[in-house]
Amino acid sequence: MSDAGIAPPRARGRLRIVLTELLQRPRAAFGLAVITVMVLAAVFAPWIMPHDPFEQSFDGLDLMGGPLPPGGDYLLGTDLLGRDLASRLILGTRTSLIIGVVANGIAVILGAGVGIAAGYFGGWTAAVLMRFTDLMMAFPALLLAIVLAAIFQPSLMIVALVIAMVNWVQMSRVIYTETRSLAEREFILVQRAIGASPFRILGKHLLPHLLSSIIVFGTLGISTTVLLEATLSFLGVGVQPPMPSWGNIIFENQTYFSTAPWLVFIPGLLIVLLALAFNLVGDALRDILDPTLKGRHG
C-alpha cells in the first residue's frame, strides 16, 4: 500500500530532475524547443494552416503554369499543382511525427521484448531469437523496407509497420547484451533461488534497470525512423499523395529543383532539423540516465 502511494511522486520527481537537466544543456534545450514546436504544429495543424493543403488553385501558379515563390498570400510559395507549401509542410509534420512515434514505438517494444527474453532465458531461446535477429540484420534496412513497402499497399500505418519491422533489430541487440549481464548479477540469482517467478523478476528487477537504455534508444530511434520514412516517401513507396509527408513533397517537386529550389530545400531542412533535435535530446538523455557518463555536458 505504501509503495503504491510513494511511487508516483518519486516518478514525477525523477521526471522533473531529468527535464531540468535537459533544459540546462543548450543543445538539448534547442532540441526540445524544436520538438515542442513541431509537435504543436502537428496537433494544431487544422487551425494554423493558412490554406487548404489539398486545394489546387490557379491563383497558386504563375503565368507560365509554374509554382509561385515565397511571399504574398503564400508564405512559403506553392508547389507544382498550385497548393500552398506552408500548409502541406504543416500537415506533413503530423504525418512524419505519427509515423516516427508509432513505428519507433513498435520497434522499441518488439526489440526490447526479444532482447529481454533472449537475455534472461538464454539457452535455445536466445539461440533462436538472436539468430533470427542476425538474419534480419544481414539485410540492408533500406532495401528490406523498400521490398516490404512494395509488397503491401502503402498507407500511413503500413509504412509505420514496415519501418518498425526493419528498426527493431538494433534495439534487441543492445537490450540482449544488458539483460545477459544483469541476469548473472547476485540480486537476480537470489530472486531465482527463493523461487520468484520469471515475470516478477523481469517486471520488478530487470526492467527498471533497462528502462534508461530503452528510453534513450527509443528517443534516438525516432530520428532514424523519420529519415527512413522520408526516404521511402521520396522513392515513391512511402506515404502516398495527396497525403503530404516531407519526403513525398520533395519527390513530387524534384523536377523544379533548379527553378524553384525552396520546394526541395525547405522540407529537406525540416527533415534534418527534426532528426537533429531528437539526436540532441537522445544524447543528453544518455548522459543523464547513464551514471557512468554523469558529468558530461553538451
Side-chain angles (χ1 to χ4, degrees):
M1 187 75 178
S2 59
D3 289 344
I6 294 174
R10 284 180 178 174
R12 288 196 296 270
R14 179 60 177 160
L15 180 61
R16 191 180 301 112
I17 292 172
V18 170
L19 183 59
T20 300
E21 291 203 35
L22 282 175
L23 293 175
Q24 290 174 348
R25 298 165 181 252
R27 285 183 288 183
F30 170 76
L32 276 176
V34 170
I35 293 169
T36 301
V37 169
M38 291 195 178
V39 168
L40 290 174
V43 171
F44 297 104
W47 295 277
I48 63 176
M49 290 186 297
H51 299 276
D52 183 347
F54 303 106
E55 181 184 1
Q56 301 178 21
S57 173
F58 287 111
D59 294 335
L61 298 173
D62 61 23
L63 296 177
M64 302 298 293
L68 294 177
D73 290 337
Y74 301 100
L75 182 63
L76 297 180
T78 60
D79 66 5
L80 76 167
L81 297 177
R83 297 172 298 193
D84 179 50
L85 181 61
S87 299
R88 291 186 64 77
L89 288 173
I90 292 171
L91 191 58
T93 306
R94 175 180 288 186
T95 303
S96 295
L97 284 176
I98 288 175
I99 290 180
V101 172
V102 172
N104 197 59
I106 296 172
V108 166
I109 293 171
L110 183 59
V114 170
I116 290 172
Y120 178 76
F121 292 107
W124 66 268
T125 303
V128 171
L129 291 177
M130 287 299 99
R131 295 299 75 75
F132 177 68
T133 302
D134 291 340
L135 178 64
M136 293 295 293
M137 291 184 73
F139 291 96
L142 180 58
L143 181 60
L144 182 59
I146 291 172
V147 170
L148 291 174
I151 292 173
F152 301 102
Q153 183 65 32
S155 67
L156 199 65
M157 295 313 299
I158 290 296
V159 172
L161 288 173
V162 165
I163 293 174
M165 289 303 101
V166 300
N167 270 1
W168 65 271
V169 289
Q170 292 85 1
M171 164 69 84
S172 69
R173 268 294 174 192
V174 172
I175 298 301
Y176 168 72
T177 303
E178 292 196 20
T179 304
R180 284 300 300 161
S181 176
L182 288 169
E184 297 170 358
R185 300 271 294 274
E186 287 185 1
F187 70 96
I188 297 296
L189 297 177
V190 168
Q191 291 296 318
R192 285 177 165 174
I194 64 177
S197 69
F199 291 107
R200 177 180 174 82
I201 295 174
L202 290 173
K204 191 170 182 179
H205 299 284
L206 271 177
L207 192 57
H209 286 83
L210 296 169
L211 199 57
S212 61
S213 295
I214 293 173
I215 292 172
V216 170
F217 202 96
T219 305
L220 291 170
I222 293 179
S223 63
T224 304
T225 303
V226 169
L227 290 171
L228 186 53
E229 180 278 323
T231 303
L232 291 176
S233 295
F234 174 75
L235 295 173
V237 292
V239 178
Q240 297 299 294
M243 177 59 68
S245 80
W246 294 338
N248 69 25
I249 289 174
I250 296 175
F251 173 73
E252 288 178 331
N253 297 285
Q254 60 182 320
T255 55
Y256 284 89
F257 177 72
S258 58
T259 57
W262 63 87
L263 294 174
V264 175
F265 176 75
I266 296 176
L269 179 63
L270 290 175
I271 292 169
V272 172
L273 192 60
L274 185 60
L276 175 64
F278 276 110
N279 274 331
L280 291 174
V281 173
D283 283 341
L285 280 174
R286 181 183 56 201
D287 294 348
I288 293 168
L289 297 176
D290 188 340
T292 64
L293 298 175
K294 201 73 173 176
R296 295 186 187 179
H297 295 278

